[in-house]
Amino acid sequence: MSNTWQISADWKEKFPPVVITAGFILGVVGGILVKLGNPPNMGFCMACFERDIAGALGFHRAEAVQYLRPEILGIILGAAISTFFGKESFARSGSSPAVRFIIGMFVMIGSLVFLGCPTRMVLRLGGGDGNALFGLGGFITGIGTGTMFLHKGTSLGRSYKEKFNITSLIMPLLAIGGVILIFMRPPFIFFSEKGPESVHAPIPFSLGAGMLVGILGQRSRLCFAGGIRDMILFRSPHLLSGLVGTFAGVFVINLIFGFFKPGFTGQPAAHNNQLWNFLSMALVGLGSVFLGGCPFRQLVLAAQGNGDSIITVMGMITGAAFSHNFMIASSLKGVQLGGIVSVVLGLIVCLSIGLKARER
Amino acid sequence: MAKVVDARGLSCPGPVIKAKSAIEALTSGEIVVLVDEEVAKENVWRLARSYGCMVDLVEEDGEFRLTITKSDEQK
């Protein structure tokens, strides 16, 4: 018999309206944020925006990309509120946290060599950026490779419920602190005065959009890596429908605003070095499978009180600082030698983790 | 005694992988899957339903016990 999806499964389980709607709204809101001032094809990007936060805190010195991104703070707050009202609040951790930190660093490095996390990859596709197709190819390849490891028993191990529910307060409190700092603008927080991050949507809109997407992401379990992973593993389109929804949402809104510009050259915040677009997203895909979710999902889980995901997000922010301090991140001109070396190193490290962390 | 699959504390998609191989190894009868997260519960539930299995759910102290029953016709 086929071990795949059977006719008996309800279509609502295959194509759940809540996941499609969450994805669609994320796409639409992403397009609107660009209209309101965010950089093109960058309504949301977990990698770019966490990188901006790393810059705002002075962890790197790339002056053009320093901004305490309200979208990220909003996503954390939205997901935390949704968790609280859904009575899902829990604190748990203990699944190889230091390994997750390292994988988080490499997922960020891969994203910044490609120039976008999986969420932005979909937004770029919806804006007509053909380079993102090579990223998508790499992402699928990385996820496919990761699922082969999962089949062989690769797992970072169990997490455990914590005795006290303190961990679930960490991210929401940090986010509230971040919101206060945005409005106070103290001198020790950096705000880009020129470059891509000096142009952004008005703070209340960015914050509100982030909160909306955080709530929807928490409720729907939207995950860009999970969508492709579950399709490969179980032939289940459940989560993939969120990715398709995001693409549809941003595509429609881009057509309405006239942002849709198909092509490979001159795409905003992108380069057309296709080999490295492919390999960098392969690294992101592979790492995300081992982590159990894409950067967006990690952020939502962190807000829920998953200590392992909090460590992963910290790893990602560290990876962002490395990327800009050590000439790893790509630019419009293309990839840097540091990016090439780091992506290869990341693939070797992640494949080694996959081989080592096998349960059977 | 039904086989027990302990999938507590595993991140996505660990619980589903474990449950899937247990359901496939089963010709007919019951297996019990233990999970301790809402998401894992939903995912294992959905997987079992996709195989046309009956699922019985018991919640205790934030942990979920899913008893999955497969009959001969659902192979």
Short mmCIF file of all heavy atoms in Angstrom, two decimals, chain A residues 40-107:
data_model
loop_
_atom_site.label_atom_id
_atom_site.label_comp_id
_atom_site.label_asym_id
_atom_site.label_seq_id
_atom_site.Cartn_x
_atom_site.Cartn_y
_atom_site.Cartn_z
N PRO A 40 12.65 47.03 -0.85
CA PRO A 40 11.89 46.17 -1.78
C PRO A 40 12.07 44.69 -1.50
O PRO A 40 13.16 44.24 -1.13
CB PRO A 40 12.49 46.54 -3.14
CG PRO A 40 13.07 47.90 -2.96
CD PRO A 40 13.52 47.98 -1.54
N ASN A 41 11.00 43.95 -1.69
CA ASN A 41 10.97 42.50 -1.42
C ASN A 41 11.42 42.17 0.01
O ASN A 41 11.89 41.07 0.27
CB ASN A 41 11.84 41.72 -2.41
CG ASN A 41 11.23 41.70 -3.81
OD1 ASN A 41 10.09 42.09 -3.99
ND2 ASN A 41 12.01 41.25 -4.79
N MET A 42 11.30 43.11 0.93
CA MET A 42 11.77 42.88 2.29
C MET A 42 10.74 43.33 3.32
O MET A 42 11.05 44.03 4.28
CB MET A 42 13.12 43.55 2.54
CG MET A 42 13.99 42.83 3.57
SD MET A 42 15.46 43.76 4.03
CE MET A 42 16.56 43.42 2.68
N GLY A 43 9.48 42.94 3.05
CA GLY A 43 8.45 43.23 4.06
C GLY A 43 8.79 42.52 5.35
O GLY A 43 8.70 43.09 6.45
N PHE A 44 9.19 41.27 5.20
CA PHE A 44 9.67 40.49 6.34
C PHE A 44 10.91 39.75 5.92
O PHE A 44 11.01 39.26 4.79
CB PHE A 44 8.64 39.45 6.79
CG PHE A 44 7.44 40.04 7.48
CD1 PHE A 44 6.24 40.17 6.80
CD2 PHE A 44 7.52 40.46 8.79
CE1 PHE A 44 5.13 40.72 7.43
CE2 PHE A 44 6.42 41.00 9.43
CZ PHE A 44 5.21 41.13 8.74
N CYS A 45 11.87 39.65 6.82
CA CYS A 45 13.01 38.77 6.63
C CYS A 45 13.63 38.54 8.00
O CYS A 45 14.12 39.48 8.63
CB CYS A 45 14.04 39.37 5.68
SG CYS A 45 15.53 38.35 5.55
N MET A 46 13.52 37.30 8.47
CA MET A 46 14.03 37.03 9.82
C MET A 46 15.55 37.24 9.87
O MET A 46 16.08 37.77 10.84
CB MET A 46 13.71 35.59 10.24
CG MET A 46 12.25 35.22 10.12
SD MET A 46 11.14 36.44 10.82
CE MET A 46 9.98 36.63 9.46
N ALA A 47 16.24 36.82 8.80
CA ALA A 47 17.70 36.92 8.79
C ALA A 47 18.13 38.38 8.71
O ALA A 47 18.89 38.86 9.55
CB ALA A 47 18.26 36.13 7.62
N CYS A 48 17.58 39.11 7.72
CA CYS A 48 17.99 40.52 7.55
C CYS A 48 17.64 41.32 8.80
O CYS A 48 18.42 42.16 9.25
CB CYS A 48 17.28 41.15 6.35
SG CYS A 48 17.18 40.09 4.91
N PHE A 49 16.46 41.07 9.36
CA PHE A 49 15.99 41.89 10.47
C PHE A 49 16.71 41.56 11.79
O PHE A 49 16.96 42.44 12.60
CB PHE A 49 14.48 41.75 10.63
CG PHE A 49 13.69 42.38 9.50
CD1 PHE A 49 14.33 43.01 8.44
CD2 PHE A 49 12.30 42.36 9.51
CE1 PHE A 49 13.61 43.59 7.40
CE2 PHE A 49 11.57 42.94 8.47
CZ PHE A 49 12.22 43.55 7.42
N GLU A 50 17.04 40.29 11.97
CA GLU A 50 17.83 39.95 13.17
C GLU A 50 19.25 40.50 13.01
O GLU A 50 19.89 40.90 13.98
CB GLU A 50 17.83 38.43 13.41
CG GLU A 50 16.48 37.95 13.93
CD GLU A 50 16.35 36.43 14.03
OE1 GLU A 50 17.37 35.74 13.94
OE2 GLU A 50 15.22 35.96 14.20
N ARG A 51 19.72 40.52 11.77
CA ARG A 51 21.01 41.14 11.48
C ARG A 51 20.97 42.64 11.81
O ARG A 51 21.90 43.19 12.40
CB ARG A 51 21.35 40.90 10.00
CG ARG A 51 22.64 41.47 9.48
CD ARG A 51 22.50 42.85 8.86
NE ARG A 51 21.31 43.08 8.08
CZ ARG A 51 21.20 42.84 6.77
NH1 ARG A 51 22.20 42.32 6.12
NH2 ARG A 51 20.08 43.14 6.13
N ASP A 52 19.86 43.28 11.46
CA ASP A 52 19.72 44.70 11.76
C ASP A 52 19.72 44.94 13.27
O ASP A 52 20.27 45.92 13.76
CB ASP A 52 18.41 45.24 11.18
CG ASP A 52 18.36 45.12 9.67
OD1 ASP A 52 19.43 44.96 9.07
OD2 ASP A 52 17.24 45.18 9.12
N ILE A 53 19.06 44.02 13.99
CA ILE A 53 19.03 44.14 15.46
C ILE A 53 20.44 43.97 16.02
O ILE A 53 20.87 44.73 16.89
CB ILE A 53 18.03 43.12 16.06
CG1 ILE A 53 16.60 43.55 15.71
CG2 ILE A 53 18.22 43.03 17.57
CD1 ILE A 53 15.52 42.60 16.20
N ALA A 54 21.18 42.98 15.47
CA ALA A 54 22.57 42.81 15.90
C ALA A 54 23.35 44.11 15.68
O ALA A 54 24.15 44.53 16.52
CB ALA A 54 23.22 41.66 15.12
N GLY A 55 23.07 44.78 14.55
CA GLY A 55 23.73 46.05 14.26
C GLY A 55 23.31 47.16 15.21
O GLY A 55 24.13 47.93 15.70
N ALA A 56 22.00 47.21 15.50
CA ALA A 56 21.48 48.25 16.40
C ALA A 56 22.11 48.13 17.78
O ALA A 56 22.35 49.12 18.46
CB ALA A 56 19.96 48.14 16.50
N LEU A 57 22.42 46.90 18.17
CA LEU A 57 23.03 46.67 19.48
C LEU A 57 24.54 46.83 19.44
O LEU A 57 25.22 46.67 20.46
CB LEU A 57 22.67 45.26 19.99
CG LEU A 57 21.17 44.99 20.18
CD1 LEU A 57 20.93 43.53 20.55
CD2 LEU A 57 20.58 45.91 21.26
N GLY A 58 25.07 47.12 18.25
CA GLY A 58 26.50 47.37 18.13
C GLY A 58 27.32 46.09 18.01
O GLY A 58 28.53 46.11 18.21
N PHE A 59 26.69 44.97 17.67
CA PHE A 59 27.44 43.72 17.55
C PHE A 59 28.22 43.66 16.24
O PHE A 59 29.10 42.85 16.09
CB PHE A 59 26.50 42.50 17.64
CG PHE A 59 25.80 42.35 18.97
CD1 PHE A 59 24.73 41.48 19.12
CD2 PHE A 59 26.23 43.06 20.09
CE1 PHE A 59 24.08 41.33 20.34
CE2 PHE A 59 25.58 42.92 21.32
CZ PHE A 59 24.50 42.05 21.45
N HIS A 60 27.80 44.43 15.26
CA HIS A 60 28.61 44.57 14.05
C HIS A 60 28.64 46.04 13.63
O HIS A 60 27.87 46.86 14.14
CB HIS A 60 28.11 43.66 12.91
CG HIS A 60 26.76 44.02 12.36
ND1 HIS A 60 26.55 45.15 11.61
CD2 HIS A 60 25.56 43.40 12.46
CE1 HIS A 60 25.27 45.21 11.26
NE2 HIS A 60 24.65 44.17 11.78
N ARG A 61 29.55 46.35 12.70
CA ARG A 61 29.81 47.76 12.39
C ARG A 61 29.40 48.14 10.98
O ARG A 61 29.91 49.10 10.43
CB ARG A 61 31.31 48.04 12.61
CG ARG A 61 31.71 48.00 14.07
CD ARG A 61 33.15 47.56 14.21
NE ARG A 61 33.29 46.11 13.95
CZ ARG A 61 34.45 45.49 13.80
NH1 ARG A 61 35.57 46.14 13.85
NH2 ARG A 61 34.49 44.19 13.57
N ALA A 62 28.50 47.33 10.39
CA ALA A 62 28.00 47.69 9.06
C ALA A 62 26.94 48.77 9.23
O ALA A 62 25.80 48.48 9.58
CB ALA A 62 27.43 46.45 8.36
N GLU A 63 27.36 50.02 9.02
CA GLU A 63 26.51 51.14 9.41
C GLU A 63 25.19 51.21 8.65
O GLU A 63 24.23 51.81 9.13
CB GLU A 63 27.27 52.46 9.24
CG GLU A 63 28.33 52.64 10.33
CD GLU A 63 29.13 53.91 10.17
OE1 GLU A 63 28.78 54.73 9.29
OE2 GLU A 63 30.10 54.07 10.92
N ALA A 64 25.16 50.57 7.46
CA ALA A 64 23.94 50.66 6.65
C ALA A 64 22.85 49.73 7.15
O ALA A 64 21.70 49.85 6.74
CB ALA A 64 24.27 50.36 5.19
N VAL A 65 23.20 48.77 8.00
CA VAL A 65 22.21 47.76 8.41
C VAL A 65 22.11 47.69 9.94
O VAL A 65 22.38 46.66 10.55
CB VAL A 65 22.49 46.38 7.77
CG1 VAL A 65 22.12 46.40 6.29
CG2 VAL A 65 23.93 45.95 7.93
N GLN A 66 21.72 48.79 10.53
CA GLN A 66 21.55 48.84 11.98
C GLN A 66 20.18 49.45 12.29
O GLN A 66 19.93 50.61 12.01
CB GLN A 66 22.66 49.70 12.61
CG GLN A 66 24.05 49.10 12.40
CD GLN A 66 25.16 50.03 12.88
OE1 GLN A 66 25.08 51.25 12.74
NE2 GLN A 66 26.20 49.44 13.45
N TYR A 67 19.30 48.63 12.80
CA TYR A 67 17.95 49.12 13.12
C TYR A 67 17.28 48.10 14.03
O TYR A 67 17.32 46.90 13.76
CB TYR A 67 17.15 49.29 11.82
CG TYR A 67 15.73 49.79 11.99
CD1 TYR A 67 15.40 50.78 12.91
CD2 TYR A 67 14.70 49.24 11.21
CE1 TYR A 67 14.10 51.23 13.03
CE2 TYR A 67 13.39 49.68 11.33
CZ TYR A 67 13.10 50.68 12.25
OH TYR A 67 11.81 51.11 12.38
N LEU A 68 16.71 48.58 15.10
CA LEU A 68 16.04 47.68 16.05
C LEU A 68 14.67 47.31 15.46
O LEU A 68 13.66 47.92 15.78
CB LEU A 68 15.88 48.42 17.38
CG LEU A 68 15.91 47.64 18.68
CD1 LEU A 68 17.06 46.66 18.75
CD2 LEU A 68 16.00 48.60 19.85
N ARG A 69 14.67 46.35 14.58
CA ARG A 69 13.52 46.03 13.73
C ARG A 69 12.24 45.75 14.51
O ARG A 69 12.12 44.72 15.17
CB ARG A 69 13.86 44.80 12.89
CG ARG A 69 14.62 45.14 11.66
CD ARG A 69 13.69 45.63 10.59
NE ARG A 69 14.47 46.19 9.48
CZ ARG A 69 13.89 46.92 8.53
NH1 ARG A 69 12.61 47.16 8.57
NH2 ARG A 69 14.61 47.41 7.57
N PRO A 70 11.25 46.64 14.40
CA PRO A 70 10.00 46.41 15.14
C PRO A 70 9.25 45.16 14.66
O PRO A 70 8.49 44.59 15.44
CB PRO A 70 9.17 47.66 14.85
CG PRO A 70 10.10 48.64 14.24
CD PRO A 70 11.22 47.88 13.63
N GLU A 71 9.47 44.76 13.41
CA GLU A 71 8.77 43.57 12.91
C GLU A 71 9.12 42.35 13.76
O GLU A 71 8.25 41.55 14.11
CB GLU A 71 9.13 43.29 11.45
CG GLU A 71 8.55 44.28 10.45
CD GLU A 71 9.45 45.50 10.24
OE1 GLU A 71 10.42 45.67 11.02
OE2 GLU A 71 9.18 46.27 9.31
N ILE A 72 10.42 42.20 14.07
CA ILE A 72 10.86 41.04 14.86
C ILE A 72 10.28 41.12 16.27
O ILE A 72 9.76 40.14 16.81
CB ILE A 72 12.42 41.01 14.93
CG1 ILE A 72 13.01 40.79 13.54
CG2 ILE A 72 12.91 39.96 15.93
CD1 ILE A 72 12.86 39.40 12.98
N LEU A 73 10.35 42.33 16.85
CA LEU A 73 9.81 42.51 18.21
C LEU A 73 8.32 42.20 18.21
O LEU A 73 7.80 41.57 19.13
CB LEU A 73 10.08 43.94 18.70
CG LEU A 73 11.54 44.41 18.59
CD1 LEU A 73 11.67 45.87 19.01
CD2 LEU A 73 12.44 43.55 19.47
N GLY A 74 7.64 42.64 17.16
CA GLY A 74 6.20 42.40 17.03
C GLY A 74 5.88 40.91 16.90
O GLY A 74 4.94 40.42 17.53
N ILE A 75 6.67 40.21 16.09
CA ILE A 75 6.43 38.77 15.92
C ILE A 75 6.56 38.06 17.28
O ILE A 75 5.73 37.22 17.64
CB ILE A 75 7.41 38.16 14.89
CG1 ILE A 75 7.07 38.65 13.48
CG2 ILE A 75 7.38 36.63 14.94
CD1 ILE A 75 8.10 38.30 12.42
N ILE A 76 7.59 38.44 18.03
CA ILE A 76 7.78 37.82 19.35
C ILE A 76 6.58 38.12 20.25
O ILE A 76 6.01 37.21 20.87
CB ILE A 76 9.08 38.35 20.01
CG1 ILE A 76 10.31 37.90 19.20
CG2 ILE A 76 9.18 37.88 21.46
CD1 ILE A 76 11.60 38.59 19.61
N LEU A 77 6.17 39.38 20.28
CA LEU A 77 5.05 39.75 21.15
C LEU A 77 3.75 39.08 20.71
O LEU A 77 2.99 38.56 21.53
CB LEU A 77 4.88 41.28 21.19
CG LEU A 77 6.02 42.03 21.90
CD1 LEU A 77 5.87 43.53 21.73
CD2 LEU A 77 6.05 41.67 23.39
N GLY A 78 3.51 39.07 19.39
CA GLY A 78 2.29 38.45 18.87
C GLY A 78 2.25 36.96 19.20
O GLY A 78 1.23 36.43 19.67
N ALA A 79 3.37 36.29 18.98
CA ALA A 79 3.41 34.84 19.24
C ALA A 79 3.25 34.56 20.73
O ALA A 79 2.59 33.61 21.13
CB ALA A 79 4.73 34.26 18.73
N ALA A 80 3.84 35.44 21.56
CA ALA A 80 3.74 35.23 23.01
C ALA A 80 2.30 35.44 23.48
O ALA A 80 1.78 34.68 24.30
CB ALA A 80 4.69 36.18 23.74
N ILE A 81 1.63 36.47 22.93
CA ILE A 81 0.23 36.73 23.31
C ILE A 81 -0.64 35.55 22.89
O ILE A 81 -1.47 35.06 23.66
CB ILE A 81 -0.25 38.04 22.64
CG1 ILE A 81 0.44 39.25 23.28
CG2 ILE A 81 -1.78 38.19 22.75
CD1 ILE A 81 0.28 40.55 22.49
N SER A 82 -0.43 35.09 21.67
CA SER A 82 -1.21 33.96 21.15
C SER A 82 -0.98 32.71 21.99
O SER A 82 -1.92 31.95 22.28
CB SER A 82 -0.82 33.73 19.70
OG SER A 82 -1.41 32.56 19.22
N THR A 83 0.26 32.49 22.40
CA THR A 83 0.58 31.33 23.24
C THR A 83 -0.15 31.43 24.57
O THR A 83 -0.70 30.45 25.07
CB THR A 83 2.10 31.29 23.52
OG1 THR A 83 2.78 31.33 22.28
CG2 THR A 83 2.48 30.04 24.27
N PHE A 84 -0.14 32.64 25.12
CA PHE A 84 -0.76 32.85 26.44
C PHE A 84 -2.26 32.57 26.37
O PHE A 84 -2.80 31.82 27.19
CB PHE A 84 -0.50 34.29 26.89
CG PHE A 84 -1.13 34.61 28.22
CD1 PHE A 84 -0.55 34.17 29.40
CD2 PHE A 84 -2.31 35.35 28.28
CE1 PHE A 84 -1.14 34.44 30.62
CE2 PHE A 84 -2.90 35.64 29.50
CZ PHE A 84 -2.31 35.19 30.68
N PHE A 85 -2.92 33.12 25.34
CA PHE A 85 -4.37 32.93 25.25
C PHE A 85 -4.73 31.51 24.79
O PHE A 85 -5.82 31.03 25.08
CB PHE A 85 -5.01 33.99 24.34
CG PHE A 85 -5.11 35.32 25.02
CD1 PHE A 85 -4.26 36.36 24.71
CD2 PHE A 85 -6.07 35.52 26.02
CE1 PHE A 85 -4.33 37.58 25.37
CE2 PHE A 85 -6.16 36.74 26.68
CZ PHE A 85 -5.29 37.77 26.35
N GLY A 86 -3.82 30.86 24.08
CA GLY A 86 -4.06 29.49 23.67
C GLY A 86 -3.70 28.50 24.77
O GLY A 86 -3.77 27.30 24.56
N LYS A 87 -3.30 29.01 25.90
CA LYS A 87 -2.88 28.19 27.05
C LYS A 87 -1.82 27.16 26.65
O LYS A 87 -1.85 26.02 27.07
CB LYS A 87 -4.09 27.49 27.69
CG LYS A 87 -5.11 28.47 28.27
CD LYS A 87 -6.09 27.78 29.21
CE LYS A 87 -6.96 28.75 29.97
NZ LYS A 87 -7.75 29.66 29.10
N GLU A 88 -0.91 27.61 25.80
CA GLU A 88 0.16 26.71 25.37
C GLU A 88 1.49 27.10 26.00
O GLU A 88 2.54 26.60 25.60
CB GLU A 88 0.30 26.76 23.85
CG GLU A 88 -0.73 25.96 23.10
CD GLU A 88 -0.47 26.02 21.60
OE1 GLU A 88 0.59 25.55 21.18
OE2 GLU A 88 -1.33 26.53 20.87
N SER A 89 1.43 28.04 26.91
CA SER A 89 2.66 28.57 27.49
C SER A 89 3.39 27.47 28.28
O SER A 89 2.81 26.84 29.14
CB SER A 89 2.32 29.74 28.41
OG SER A 89 3.50 30.31 28.88
N PHE A 90 4.61 27.26 27.94
CA PHE A 90 5.40 26.26 28.64
C PHE A 90 6.86 26.63 28.46
O PHE A 90 7.22 27.32 27.51
CB PHE A 90 5.15 24.87 28.07
CG PHE A 90 5.50 24.78 26.61
CD1 PHE A 90 6.77 24.42 26.21
CD2 PHE A 90 4.56 25.10 25.65
CE1 PHE A 90 7.09 24.36 24.86
CE2 PHE A 90 4.88 25.05 24.30
CZ PHE A 90 6.15 24.68 23.91
N ALA A 91 7.68 26.17 29.38
CA ALA A 91 9.11 26.38 29.23
C ALA A 91 9.74 25.01 29.07
O ALA A 91 9.48 24.10 29.85
CB ALA A 91 9.66 27.08 30.47
N ARG A 92 10.52 24.86 28.02
CA ARG A 92 11.19 23.59 27.83
C ARG A 92 12.52 23.82 27.13
O ARG A 92 12.72 24.82 26.45
CB ARG A 92 10.32 22.63 27.03
CG ARG A 92 10.00 23.08 25.62
CD ARG A 92 9.12 22.06 24.94
NE ARG A 92 9.57 20.72 25.26
CZ ARG A 92 8.75 19.70 25.61
NH1 ARG A 92 7.47 19.89 25.66
NH2 ARG A 92 9.25 18.53 25.88
N SER A 93 13.44 22.90 27.33
CA SER A 93 14.76 23.01 26.70
C SER A 93 15.52 21.71 26.93
O SER A 93 15.01 20.79 27.56
CB SER A 93 15.54 24.18 27.30
OG SER A 93 15.72 23.97 28.68
N GLY A 94 16.73 21.66 26.43
CA GLY A 94 17.60 20.52 26.72
C GLY A 94 17.92 19.63 25.54
O GLY A 94 18.55 18.60 25.70
N SER A 95 17.50 20.05 24.32
CA SER A 95 17.80 19.25 23.14
C SER A 95 19.04 19.81 22.45
O SER A 95 18.94 20.62 21.54
CB SER A 95 16.58 19.27 22.20
OG SER A 95 16.91 18.76 20.95
N SER A 96 20.19 19.39 22.93
CA SER A 96 21.50 19.82 22.37
C SER A 96 21.56 21.33 22.11
O SER A 96 21.76 21.75 20.97
CB SER A 96 21.78 19.09 21.05
OG SER A 96 21.61 17.72 21.19
N PRO A 97 21.40 22.16 23.16
CA PRO A 97 21.34 23.61 22.91
C PRO A 97 22.57 24.19 22.24
O PRO A 97 22.43 25.03 21.34
CB PRO A 97 21.12 24.21 24.31
CG PRO A 97 21.35 23.11 25.28
CD PRO A 97 21.17 21.82 24.57
N ALA A 98 23.77 23.74 22.63
CA ALA A 98 24.97 24.34 22.04
C ALA A 98 25.09 23.97 20.56
O ALA A 98 25.54 24.77 19.74
CB ALA A 98 26.22 23.90 22.81
N VAL A 99 24.66 22.75 20.22
CA VAL A 99 24.68 22.33 18.81
C VAL A 99 23.70 23.21 18.03
O VAL A 99 23.98 23.66 16.91
CB VAL A 99 24.32 20.84 18.68
CG1 VAL A 99 24.22 20.44 17.21
CG2 VAL A 99 25.34 19.97 19.40
N ARG A 100 22.55 23.48 18.64
CA ARG A 100 21.56 24.34 17.98
C ARG A 100 22.10 25.76 17.77
O ARG A 100 21.81 26.41 16.77
CB ARG A 100 20.26 24.39 18.80
CG ARG A 100 19.48 23.10 18.69
CD ARG A 100 18.25 23.09 19.59
NE ARG A 100 17.61 21.80 19.58
CZ ARG A 100 16.65 21.44 18.70
NH1 ARG A 100 16.22 22.29 17.81
NH2 ARG A 100 16.14 20.23 18.73
N PHE A 101 22.88 26.24 18.75
CA PHE A 101 23.50 27.57 18.62
C PHE A 101 24.37 27.61 17.36
O PHE A 101 24.27 28.55 16.55
CB PHE A 101 24.35 27.87 19.87
CG PHE A 101 24.94 29.24 19.91
CD1 PHE A 101 24.25 30.28 20.53
CD2 PHE A 101 26.18 29.52 19.34
CE1 PHE A 101 24.80 31.57 20.58
CE2 PHE A 101 26.73 30.80 19.39
CZ PHE A 101 26.04 31.82 20.01
N ILE A 102 25.20 26.58 17.19
CA ILE A 102 26.10 26.52 16.04
C ILE A 102 25.29 26.43 14.74
O ILE A 102 25.57 27.14 13.76
CB ILE A 102 27.04 25.30 16.15
CG1 ILE A 102 27.91 25.40 17.41
CG2 ILE A 102 27.90 25.14 14.90
CD1 ILE A 102 28.91 26.52 17.41
N ILE A 103 24.27 25.55 14.72
CA ILE A 103 23.47 25.43 13.50
C ILE A 103 22.76 26.76 13.22
O ILE A 103 22.68 27.20 12.07
CB ILE A 103 22.44 24.27 13.62
CG1 ILE A 103 23.15 22.94 13.81
CG2 ILE A 103 21.55 24.21 12.37
CD1 ILE A 103 22.22 21.75 14.05
N GLY A 104 22.27 27.41 14.27
CA GLY A 104 21.62 28.72 14.12
C GLY A 104 22.56 29.73 13.47
O GLY A 104 22.17 30.49 12.58
N MET A 105 23.83 29.72 13.91
CA MET A 105 24.83 30.62 13.30
C MET A 105 24.96 30.35 11.81
O MET A 105 24.98 31.28 11.00
CB MET A 105 26.21 30.40 13.96
CG MET A 105 26.39 31.10 15.27
SD MET A 105 28.06 30.82 15.93
CE MET A 105 29.06 31.63 14.72
N PHE A 106 25.04 29.07 11.45
CA PHE A 106 25.24 28.74 10.04
C PHE A 106 23.99 29.00 9.20
O PHE A 106 24.09 29.35 8.02
CB PHE A 106 25.74 27.30 9.87
CG PHE A 106 27.22 27.17 10.13
CD1 PHE A 106 27.69 26.38 11.17
CD2 PHE A 106 28.13 27.84 9.34
CE1 PHE A 106 29.06 26.28 11.42
CE2 PHE A 106 29.50 27.74 9.57
CZ PHE A 106 29.97 26.96 10.62
N VAL A 107 22.81 28.81 9.81
CA VAL A 107 21.57 29.13 9.08
C VAL A 107 21.55 30.63 8.77
O VAL A 107 21.19 31.06 7.67
CB VAL A 107 20.33 28.70 9.89
CG1 VAL A 107 19.07 29.34 9.35
CG2 VAL A 107 20.18 27.18 9.86
#
